Amino acid sequence: MSPSLINTLKKHYKILSGKISSFKIEHKCPHVWYGNSYGGFFVNPDLLHPDAIVYSFGIGQDTSFDDAIIQKHNCHVHGYDPTPKSIEWIAQRSDLSPKFHFHPFGLDKETRITHFNLPKNKEHVSGSIINHQNVDENNMVEVQMKSLIDIVSENNHSYIDVLKMDIEGSEYCVIESILNSSIEIRQILLEIHERFFDNGIEKTKELLNSLHQHGYKVFGISDTLEEISFIKVSS
């Protein structure tokens, strides 16, 4: 059995078993995979240029997406992660592009200092402000979180070309504050973490509906069905 057929069968199993939502391409446009198989997303490269503004929330210990954006378009990327392991890992990197700007705080619907749950598996990196099956709510640290509107204001940006979010389940609670802000965002790339929640599929349906209402359509879907790329097609 070929690898492609195996992947197809796995996708159908996830959907039919109710383990993951079924997405479909809603808007056809150029789409190229940026990054490795673990940390990458589909991007429409025709909308990027050297002056493009890219925000990358959720770095962990993988800058393959950010590196690819910089290498292919020579633009600046602002990376964000409040995770202690991620902050330490970035501080030890000597090979990062000067166009990659790391900020040691995370994205939330409001600016605040809050508790951040560290992963149950000590070998893992990603924590979350959301209590879910992969984090230990008895092992927390305090972290700085900021709203997108405050981050954009601090950076003196009026729009964002690409907003990437791999934020361990928090995508569901921050999306409304992002979409209801005055910030123009041309592409939104999301890793969907519905597997963390008993009602994850319902959460994803609500998230998708909100994106549709604000003029976004799906143009890229990863092989895992969890990295979903949206493009603004109407106001």
Side-chain angles (χ1 to χ4, degrees), residues 85-100:
K85 278 190 176 181
S86 180
I87 295 170
E88 181 182 0
W89 181 74
I90 288 290
Q92 295 173 350
R93 292 279 302 275
S94 60
D95 59 334
L96 290 171
S97 167
K99 291 198 169 185
F100 178 76

Side-chain angles (χ1 to χ4, degrees), residues 106-143:
L107 178 66
D108 200 355
K109 57 186 176 181
E110 61 182 340
T111 296
R112 58 177 178 155
I113 294 176
T114 190
H115 291 110
F116 187 83
N117 303 301
L118 297 176
K120 289 179 180 177
N121 188 326
K122 305 302 181 184
E123 299 300 316
H124 291 176
V125 177
S126 301
S128 177
I129 61 173
I130 304 296
N131 290 333
H132 59 71
Q133 61 190 16
N134 290 350
V135 297
D136 182 0
E137 58 185 287
N138 295 314
N139 185 16
M140 300 182 295
V141 294
E142 286 193 341
V143 298

